[in-house]
Amino acid sequence: MSLSAVWTDVDLEAPGRQVGFIRVEHSVHRSAYGTIPIPFAVFANGQGPTLLLMAGSHGDEYEGQLALTRLIREIDVGRIHGRILVLPAANRPAVAAGQRTSPLDDGNLNRSFGDSYTDTPTGCIAAFIAEELFSHCDAILDLHSGGSSLDHLSCSYADLGTDKVMAQRTFAALEAMNAPFSWAQPGCPSGPVAGRAALRKGAIHLSGEFGGGGRLKHDAFEVAERCIYRVLDHFGILAMEEKWRVETPTRFVFNIQDHFVYAPQAGVLESLVKLGDTVEAGQLAGYLHRPESPWEAPLELRFRTDGIVSVIRTMGRSREGDCLFQLLGETEREEILAAMENLA
């Protein structure tokens, strides 16, 4: 029996290439002293910043998982200046099951970084990541997608925090990622998400949504890889290859609650828009049909604001309260810079 509920055989301070596990004790009938092995890699060489690359907080989000899996196999540690921590399957039970939440405790890892941690497998994983890993990091890049239920426009994301210097450093890193859509969120998240924990530890928090629909989308996969290697280059940790150097146009976006369309009742979604479409307030988004009551007219769904279609539900059948669509509003880079100037 170990002396700790969570531990790792990887030495964060050692130079070179290390691939091992974070182990979470999980005592069950079939394995009294069992553990959950979470794959963990550290690549360190010389002096420089520390960046944590994380995916698999949700098990059905594949682009980030595979991008980090390939990085672990192919990275040349001799080219690194600093340290890279890599978690390709952060919530290992959810990843192995291919579902959003853990089959062990129904835990959603990216909703487990609150002011305290539950005494469950998912809570223990969150506590180790936040308290043992974030504390060593200058920056975190946490890769997501829409998962099984949503398809998401490829978009980088950053929590700017409430400190001007931190916000400026974070925004510079977000711009360096050069995603087609860049979302800079002012302030600190109020919910129990990884970004909140990272900011509390004084680390830059970067993220992104790349694809979804419960499958690997190669165009989104390429955007995710591009963001990874460009941010490594930005921090001076690993010079990027020439194929990532070509600048692409970036549109800056934001989000408000009115950008969401939720199902007012159960039914089957018929979408009339595509990802990336620009829509107007009042425009017809789609219909909800009820095949169990075929005599009923379908329910019209309309957007409440103007915006860019960034999310569409991929599961045909929906229940009341399910997210069907999300928009992003477009803003100017100068507006973001001006807002940061007002920070303390």
Side-chain angles (χ1 to χ4, degrees), residues 79-234:
R79 295 178 55 222
I80 292 172
H81 299 278
R83 182 170 54 174
I84 308 170
L85 315 181
V86 191
L87 278 176
N91 195 348
R92 166 70 183 269
V95 168
Q99 64 185 47
R100 184 172 181 82
T101 57
S102 171
L104 302 181
D105 56 14
D106 204 30
N108 180 333
L109 181 57
N110 202 37
R111 301 296 185 274
S112 299
F113 292 93
D115 294 329
S116 60
Y117 305 100
T118 59
D119 189 19
T120 63
T122 304
C124 290
I125 294 169
F128 187 87
I129 291 172
E131 303 302 324
E132 301 298 330
L133 299 187
F134 285 1
S135 300
H136 291 270
C137 294
D138 298 285
I140 292 104
L141 175 55
D142 185 12
L143 301 154
H144 289 269
S145 83
S148 298
S149 66
L150 302 173
D151 203 356
H152 206 299
L153 200 66
S154 290
C155 177
S156 61
Y157 173 90
D159 289 306
L160 297 180
T162 57
D163 173 80
K164 182 190 292 187
V165 174
M166 174 66 82
Q168 291 171 337
R169 291 174 58 216
T170 303
F171 186 68
L174 180 70
E175 282 199 290
M177 290 164 72
N178 195 219
F181 295 89
S182 294
W183 178 357
Q185 182 67 30
C188 181
S190 58
V193 293
R196 181 181 176 193
L199 289 174
R200 285 192 307 213
K201 296 297 182 181
I204 289 173
H205 179 254
L206 305 165
S207 186
E209 301 283 354
F210 306 98
R215 64 194 185 281
L216 180 74
K217 299 182 68 177
H218 279 282
D219 57 343
F221 177 60
E222 288 183 1
V223 177
E225 281 202 308
R226 173 182 174 81
C227 288
I228 290 167
Y229 288 106
R230 285 184 63 90
V231 84
L232 284 167
D233 182 89
H234 171 75

Side-chain angles (χ1 to χ4, degrees), residues 249-321:
T250 294
R251 298 164 71 180
F252 292 97
V253 292
F254 68 94
N255 184 237
I256 58 175
Q257 194 58 59
D258 279 351
H259 283 145
F260 291 83
V261 177
Y262 298 101
Q265 64 181 38
V268 176
L269 174 64
E270 177 191 358
S271 174
L272 300 180
V273 296
K274 303 185 300 296
L275 285 180
D277 284 354
T278 299
V279 299
E280 299 177 349
Q283 181 175 328
L284 189 63
Y287 296 98
L288 268 182
H289 298 267
R290 287 172 53 83
E292 64 271 35
S293 302
W295 50 87
E296 295 180 3
L299 182 68
E300 291 186 351
L301 302 164
R302 295 186 180 273
F303 295 112
R304 290 187 287 177
T305 64
D306 301 344
I308 304 161
V309 179
S310 61
V311 166
I312 300 176
R313 182 170 171 82
T314 57
M315 293 180 174
R317 188 73 188 183
S318 301
R319 297 181 182 179
E320 182 180 0

Side-chain angles (χ1 to χ4, degrees), residues 57-100:
S57 289
H58 301 130
D60 60 347
E61 299 177 357
Y62 300 113
E63 287 77 6
Q65 294 178 41
L66 295 194
L68 297 188
T69 297
R70 184 148 77 178
L71 180 147
I72 288 172
R73 291 198 306 265
E74 298 180 356
I75 196 165
D76 179 358
V77 71
R79 295 178 55 222
I80 292 172
H81 299 278
R83 182 170 54 174
I84 308 170
L85 315 181
V86 191
L87 278 176
N91 195 348
R92 166 70 183 269
V95 168
Q99 64 185 47
R100 184 172 181 82

